[in-house]
């Protein structure tokens, strides 16, 4: 079982607010290690895997093009419960100015999904 995934972020508070606002995440209290200048939140989405958002000022930016496929971790999926909710959330994110990549659609393997980018260009697959 995967316990958590982690993302380095430039704007920790903006990213926390994004996942709370659009996906109903609940954030842990802020963890701060002043010696390493490290801060993080663990986000919970109910049961299961958590998302750790981490910030340290010396971490370099990712130079990969978020709209192109590449090797390594390329997306993570968040289940929102129904095709209607996938449609609603995708529309809301597009209206609010976030980058839409694909869908909503039913994939060849039967998943109903859309793909959007979060505020720091991480791919999120929104699925049932």
């Amino acid at each position: 079982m995967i316990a958590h995934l982690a993302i380095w972020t430039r704007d920790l508070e903006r990213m926390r607010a994004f996942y709370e606002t659009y996906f109903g995440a609940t954030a842990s209290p802020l963890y701060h290690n002043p010696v390493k200048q490290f801060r993080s939140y663990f986000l919970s989405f109910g049961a299961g895997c958590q998302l750790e958002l981490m910030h340290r000022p010396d971490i370099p930016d990712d130079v990969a093009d978020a709209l192109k496929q590449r090797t390594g971790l390329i997306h993570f999926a968040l289940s929102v419960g129904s095709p209607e909710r996938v449609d609603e959330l995708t529309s809301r994110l597009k209206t609010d100015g976030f980058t839409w990549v694909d869908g909503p659609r039913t994939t060849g393997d039967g998943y109903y999904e859309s793909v959007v980018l979060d505020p720091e260009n991480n791919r999120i697959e929104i699925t049932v």
Side-chain angles (χ1 to χ4, degrees):
M1 175 171 79
I2 296 174
H4 74 271
L5 301 172
I7 298 174
W8 284 113
T9 177
R10 291 180 296 283
D11 189 335
L12 187 61
E13 296 303 326
R14 181 176 184 214
M15 290 286 279
R16 179 192 51 79
F18 172 83
Y19 287 98
E20 288 175 334
T21 300
Y22 295 101
F23 295 96
T26 302
S28 67
L30 176 68
Y31 170 75
H32 180 219
N33 178 330
V35 173
K36 293 186 177 185
Q37 297 184 2
F38 175 82
R39 296 173 187 268
S40 71
Y41 289 107
F42 276 92
L43 303 181
S44 298
F45 301 89
C49 186
Q50 294 181 305
L51 179 62
E52 183 181 13
L53 300 177
M54 308 178 304
H55 174 78
R56 209 173 71 196
D58 62 333
I59 301 300
D61 288 341
D62 182 356
V63 297
D65 182 339
L67 297 177
K68 292 185 177 179
Q69 295 288 353
R70 57 183 166 83
T71 58
L73 183 65
I74 192 64
H75 77 264
F76 58 93
L78 293 172
S79 173
V80 296
S82 71
E84 295 79 19
R85 184 72 181 118
V86 171
D87 293 345
E88 292 166 4
L89 186 53
T90 301
S91 178
R92 181 176 174 202
L93 287 161
K94 286 167 69 173
T95 298
D96 289 352
F98 294 97
T99 302
W100 163 81
V101 178
D102 191 24
R105 66 187 183 96
T106 301
T107 64
D109 53 0
Y111 287 94
Y112 189 74
E113 66 184 33
S114 66
V115 179
V116 298
L117 302 182
D118 74 10
E120 296 193 6
N121 292 328
N122 298 293
R123 283 178 176 239
I124 304 166
E125 190 174 275
I126 304 168
T127 189
V128 175

